[in-house]
Amino acid sequence: MKKLCFATNNLKKLHEVSHMLEGSYHLLTLQDIGCLEELAEDQDTLEGNSRQKAAYVWENYQIDCFADDTGLEVEALGGAPGVYSARYAGPQRSDTDNMQHLLQQLQGQENRKARFRTFITLYLNGQEHQFEGIVEGRITEDWNGETSFGYDPVFVPEGYTQTFFHMSTAQKNSISHRGRAIAKLVEFLKKQQQAN
Ligand code: IMP
């Protein structure tokens, strides 16, 4: 079976993709390929960061690979925190601090429109391919201190009344930014497999 590295050590993300690929590729984490160093992601766009990580693996390990990067883009904040979503409130990368900071920035703001955007860069046989997934939604006015993953407790996807926090994993994956980007990647990979 063809080997493919997902440039992450996040097993939840890995299983999600693995499940969707239905066994057509053998997915490996960074650890699995012996890449123990932390990958740089110091570009100022999601596209740039996902490319930087995937290119690093391809260039140093010569293994087919893809990497993702996600940001929350809030309309009233000119697209912030965007590529800086993980450390919006500072380098300690705390979800609680980030959500508090976001709600403070939006205090008194009626426009609560926001979207999550995921970018995936794939290096397959040295060729680069990119996939994007977006989910539109809005930021809640309140937050009762719950935490799960990132901004999930304060993000309500368009067409729904509940936040990502209150959705099952399957429901969230079926409409989420990452779920949509992964679906495009998986469709592409399956076509490649069929062609070979
Ligand atoms: P990453 O590129 O997946 O590591 O995401 C960067 C940051 O965006 C994370 O640290 C989270 O703060 C936020 N984020 C990404 N995906 C989600 C999500 O599905 N829900 C909530 N926050 C997310």
Side-chain angles (χ1 to χ4, degrees):
M1 198 184 298
K2 205 162 161 38
K3 287 185 177 164
L4 180 63
C5 173
F6 185 178
T8 185
N9 282 318
N10 181 328
L11 291 181
K12 266 173 93 173
K13 283 188 187 178
L14 189 90
H15 289 147
E16 187 186 335
V17 183
S18 189
H19 178 72
M20 288 170 76
L21 278 170
E22 295 167 334
S24 47
Y25 284 82
H26 181 195
L27 271 195
L28 304 167
T29 61
L30 288 170
Q31 226 175 4
D32 293 335
I33 64 164
C35 174
L36 304 179
E37 60 272 27
E38 189 160 339
L39 300 195
E41 38 182 338
D42 52 15
Q43 304 299 299
D44 56 10
T45 60
L46 301 172
E47 294 88 328
N49 274 344
S50 67
R51 174 183 291 123
Q52 186 178 25
K53 291 187 282 185
Y56 180 88
V57 172
W58 171 250
E59 283 159 15
N60 290 281
Y61 295 85
Q62 278 77 50
I63 180 164
D64 290 333
C65 168
F66 64 93
D68 70 332
D69 199 33
T70 295
L72 174 68
E73 300 175 336
V74 180
E75 190 173 272
L77 301 176
V83 71
Y84 306 108
S85 296
R87 49 200 149 98
Y88 191 33
Q92 75 285 354
R93 293 170 171 252
S94 145
D95 289 342
T96 299
D97 293 349
N98 286 339
M99 282 188 283
Q100 264 166 355
H101 186 60
L102 176 66
L103 293 186
Q104 267 162 17
Q105 295 298 109
L106 286 176
Q107 216 161 25
Q109 176 60 253
E110 276 183 19
N111 178 6
R112 316 289 298 186
K113 273 194 200 163
R115 63 181 193 171
F116 275 113
R117 202 156 68 88
T118 292
F119 234 89
I120 292 178
T121 301
L122 166 72
Y123 273 85
L124 197 65
N125 303 317
Q127 297 258 1
E128 182 187 299
H129 308 271
Q130 289 197 308
F131 309 90
E132 186 185 39
I134 293 177
V135 60
E136 302 283 349
R138 65 178 179 83
I139 303 299
T140 57
E141 269 82 15
D142 306 310
W143 166 53
N144 63 12
E146 297 151 332
T147 51
S148 53
F149 172 47
Y151 299 86
D152 271 1
V154 295
F155 183 84
V156 180
E158 204 169 74
Y160 294 80
T161 52
Q162 52 181 185
T163 62
F164 267 165
F165 176 86
H166 286 108
M167 291 184 174
S168 67
T169 306
Q171 191 180 12
K172 180 186 163 187
N173 289 346
S174 71
I175 58 165
S176 82
H177 45 300
R178 192 170 17 260
R180 286 173 174 163
I182 289 172
K184 288 182 190 173
L185 168 78
V186 166
E187 191 188 347
F188 176 84
L189 286 171
K190 282 186 175 170
K191 276 196 189 136
Q192 295 291 311
Q193 280 286 51
Q194 282 158 12
N196 290 326

